[in-house]
Amino acid sequence: MPTLAIYPGSFDPLTNGHVDIITRGARLFDRIAVAVAMNSEKAPLFSVAERVEIAREVFKATSNVEVDTFDGLLVDYVHRRHAQVIVRGLRAISDFEYEFQMALMNRRLNGRIETVFMMPAEQYSYISSRLIKEVFSLGGGVHGLVPDMVEERLRQKVK
Ligand code: PNS
């Protein structure tokens, strides 16, 4: 059976760290679905529709990457999609505790779903959506850390 992996997250906005993980996942699994969480951010900069549009545009030429949204428990969505794997990126030790808790909670909720951690290329190991938004809003450059389309959208939003 072909393996479908789900890569869930807020993606507010998509960074090149995310792009790196999705690209690696697309090589490892038959299909990978980027799943934008609908209620993960209290005050998001980008709407869910915008985040989906950006990810779809960035991966439009990669046939085994799709972009979707989900609400409620991640494991329920993964089950509904008949997927076998949750992919998460691990940048540094500081990510580990939160990711460890989530992976084990998700395993308790559904023991058939496996979480697979992937490391991004080292040049992206320190970036996060939160830092990108903070640096950009204070006038710092984020070129090379996010897709060009995201940089452009940030310019339109943060004026
Ligand atoms: O990019 P993020 O914000 O680190 O992604 C976190 C996300 C959306 C994957 C996580 O909060 C999640 O899975 N939310 C859905 C609700 C859920 O299943 N919560 C229990 C997780 S153990």
Side-chain angles (χ1 to χ4, degrees):
M1 192 169 129
T3 309
L4 170 63
I6 304 291
Y7 181 48
S10 309
F11 306 109
D12 184 39
L14 187 79
T15 69
N16 281 346
H18 297 131
V19 171
D20 183 272
I21 296 289
I22 297 162
T23 305
R24 287 170 200 281
R27 288 200 293 258
L28 194 60
F29 303 106
D30 297 304
R31 283 190 301 144
I32 181 162
V34 178
V36 180
M38 308 231 326
N39 293 318
S40 65
E41 299 272 286
K42 283 200 186 85
L45 182 61
F46 291 93
S47 69
V48 169
E50 287 172 311
R51 287 178 260 161
V52 167
E53 187 198 347
I54 290 168
R56 287 206 175 126
E57 178 63 27
V58 170
F59 286 99
K60 65 180 180 208
T62 315
S63 60
N64 66 337
V65 174
E66 61 175 272
V67 184
D68 195 6
T69 59
F70 78 101
D71 214 353
L73 274 182
L74 173 62
V75 288
D76 291 343
Y77 169 74
V78 174
H79 179 72
R80 268 201 314 279
R81 294 291 320 263
H82 304 291
Q84 300 85 347
V85 174
I86 295 169
V87 169
R88 292 286 289 173
L90 264 190
R91 291 163 301 191
I93 302 275
S94 50
D95 282 340
F96 182 78
E97 194 166 348
Y98 171 58
E99 294 298 334
F100 181 80
Q101 289 171 355
M102 279 212 304
L104 291 186
M105 179 60 85
N106 284 332
R107 180 181 284 168
R108 184 191 164 91
L109 293 168
N110 187 331
R112 289 165 168 270
I113 299 168
E114 211 53 63
T115 300
V116 171
F117 294 103
M118 301 182 75
M119 280 178 287
E122 55 270 33
Q123 69 262 35
Y124 304 130
S125 61
Y126 62 93
I127 59 171
S128 65
S129 299
R130 188 186 58 77
L131 261 191
I132 294 291
K133 285 184 281 193
E134 184 174 322
V135 168
F136 193 87
S137 68
L138 296 172
V142 296
H143 188 71
L145 300 180
V146 293
D148 291 346
M149 182 183 182
V150 170
E151 202 180 341
E152 181 52 39
R153 293 292 179 100
L154 280 168
R155 236 179 258 123
Q156 291 165 4
K157 288 242 175 225
V158 186
K159 277 198 176 138

